[in-house]
Amino acid sequence: MKLSEITNYLESIAPLNYQEDYDNSGLIVGDPNMDVRAALVALDCIEAIVDEAISTGCNLIITHHPIVFKGLKKLNGKNYVERVVLKAIKNNIALYAIHTNLDSVHTGVNARICERLGLSGTKVLSPKTGLLKKLVTYCPQAQAEQLRSALFYAGGGNIGNYSECSFNADGFGTFKGNEASDPFVGERGVRHQEAETRIEIVYPIQVERKILLALFENHPYEEVAYDIYKLENKHQLVGSGMLGWLEYDMDAYDFLHLVKDRMQAKVVRHTAVTGKRIKKVAVCGGSGSFLLKEAIAAGADAFITADFKYHEFFDAEEKIIIADIGHFETEQFTSDLLVEIIQKKFTNFAIRLTEQNTNPINYLF
């Protein structure tokens, strides 16, 4: 199997344009055309993971966290990042990361946390903007259905839980071709009036090339009239954090113990328990303090995440319980999620879950 087959599939699940600006998801080391024998999946890419890949015959490592966040100016092995990259190159091992783009999709990291906590009715806590565009075009009524179907197949017309969404209005268009034209209907040099359908669809920006190819290949006119608009609408299935509901409201301490148990956390750092029962819960894998205001505004009773600083705990102001369970702990089940995603598509592909615990933090009890 070619490496590009795997990476293209992963990027169809979690497109690279969904990652945050600071991130470095995608193929970090490797040739997209290389043949992949087997893959090793882990949360972090450290030297022990590369050694495990070598010993198990894996020439692809897929991790949540990218080994390279900032630009490397030198590769001389002076730190673990450089050593990992050098060892991967020397052993012809590809390195691929799927980080904040997997955090952002509604079936990604935060969905797995919600699943483990038994939350239902989940939705993205802070949906992203700037990810959607609208296409408006005009087509002869007789060919409108063929064009609509092609645009849907190319990835247009998906809104939330609905697909094949479009708006259509009938009217008429006029045009007059010059002597060099080859009109689909009408005659050169004569103004023609044609019954047309105005078709509008929304699409995610990463499929724009496919949308335009579908438009030009299925529209009958020699010159296609169309408009593209950038939308400020929030993409309800893409964004930061998630919100969900427990089946029954719980005592706060009982809930915190449930979180510790279900998330296999060593320690839970939390704000004061006020006596309010817990029903609505916000979660964010990794560093989620930036979402505290959104969690409060959404009416969450508790916020499960990691990496809160000391003074940030005061910002809860008894409106919400912050439960910081650790960065590794919030994301440790991401590796299982990635294995499941890949096995669902490539049923016969050799994929291994690492046996290494890459958490750099240890606890003294």
Side-chain angles (χ1 to χ4, degrees), residues 14-294:
L16 292 180
N17 63 297
Y18 289 175
Q19 68 180 304
E20 300 298 331
D21 292 340
Y22 64 81
D23 202 7
N24 190 35
S25 295
L27 185 60
I28 296 172
V29 172
D31 180 353
N33 293 314
M34 69 182 283
D35 291 316
V36 177
R37 299 186 304 273
L40 180 66
V41 176
L43 186 64
D44 305 285
C45 193
I46 58 177
E47 289 180 84
I49 296 298
V50 181
D51 290 336
E52 184 179 4
I54 294 170
S55 66
T56 55
C58 296
N59 63 339
L60 168 62
I61 298 173
I62 301 171
T63 59
H64 185 47
H65 296 136
I67 181 61
V68 178
F69 266 106
K70 301 177 181 179
L72 292 176
K73 295 184 178 181
K74 297 179 181 179
L75 274 175
N76 53 33
K78 68 178 180 181
N79 57 47
Y80 86 96
V81 174
E82 294 179 8
R83 290 193 295 272
V84 165
V85 173
L86 283 171
K87 184 173 287 190
I89 293 172
K90 287 178 181 178
N91 290 277
N92 197 32
I93 295 174
L95 304 181
Y96 185 85
I98 180 168
H99 189 209
T100 54
N101 48 330
L102 188 61
D103 289 333
S104 295
V105 295
H106 73 290
T107 54
V109 175
N110 295 308
R112 181 49 57 99
I113 297 173
C114 290
E115 179 184 310
R116 292 194 66 84
L117 294 179
L119 304 182
S120 61
T122 56
K123 61 181 181 179
V124 174
L125 176 61
S126 180
K128 286 180 178 289
T129 60
L131 297 177
L132 298 171
K133 288 187 177 182
K134 178 191 283 189
L135 170 73
V136 177
T137 189
Y138 308 84
C139 180
Q141 292 176 8
Q143 286 77 33
E145 178 55 32
Q146 177 184 333
L147 179 58
R148 270 193 300 269
S149 296
L151 293 172
F152 295 152
Y153 185 77
N158 296 310
I159 302 176
N161 293 322
Y162 296 85
S163 61
E164 301 189 9
C165 303
S166 68
F167 177 79
N168 303 268
D170 291 336
F172 67 88
T174 64
F175 49 85
K176 182 173 70 173
N178 62 25
E179 291 304 313
S181 67
D182 183 18
F184 175 70
V185 290
E187 301 177 11
R188 296 187 186 98
V190 179
R191 183 200 297 166
H192 178 77
Q193 180 174 303
E194 181 70 17
E196 295 180 340
T197 299
R198 173 188 171 109
I199 302 172
E200 300 183 19
I201 62 161
V202 173
Y203 62 90
I205 58 177
Q206 69 268 16
V207 302
E208 182 163 284
R209 179 175 175 274
K210 292 181 179 179
I211 290 289
L212 292 177
L213 283 173
L215 173 64
F216 296 139
E217 290 177 357
N218 291 275
H219 199 294
Y221 285 173
E222 184 179 23
E223 297 292 345
V224 180
Y226 68 99
D227 304 302
I228 291 178
Y229 301 92
K230 290 183 178 181
L231 301 180
E232 292 303 316
N233 303 50
K234 293 180 178 180
H235 196 316
Q236 297 299 325
L237 298 181
V238 181
S240 301
M242 292 199 84
L243 191 69
W245 284 258
L246 293 165
E247 184 177 3
Y248 306 104
D249 63 320
M250 297 182 64
D251 171 81
Y253 280 115
D254 289 341
F255 173 72
L256 291 172
H257 281 290
L258 178 142
V259 170
K260 186 175 185 293
D261 177 61
R262 297 277 182 88
M263 298 303 296
Q264 298 178 14
K266 303 291 185 183
V267 175
V268 177
R269 299 192 304 151
H270 63 87
T271 49
V273 171
T274 62
K276 181 180 180 181
R277 295 181 70 82
I278 308 300
K279 176 71 173 179
K280 186 186 291 188
V281 179
V283 307
C284 180
S287 303
S289 61
F290 71 99
L291 286 173
L292 179 60
K293 289 182 179 179
E294 283 83 353

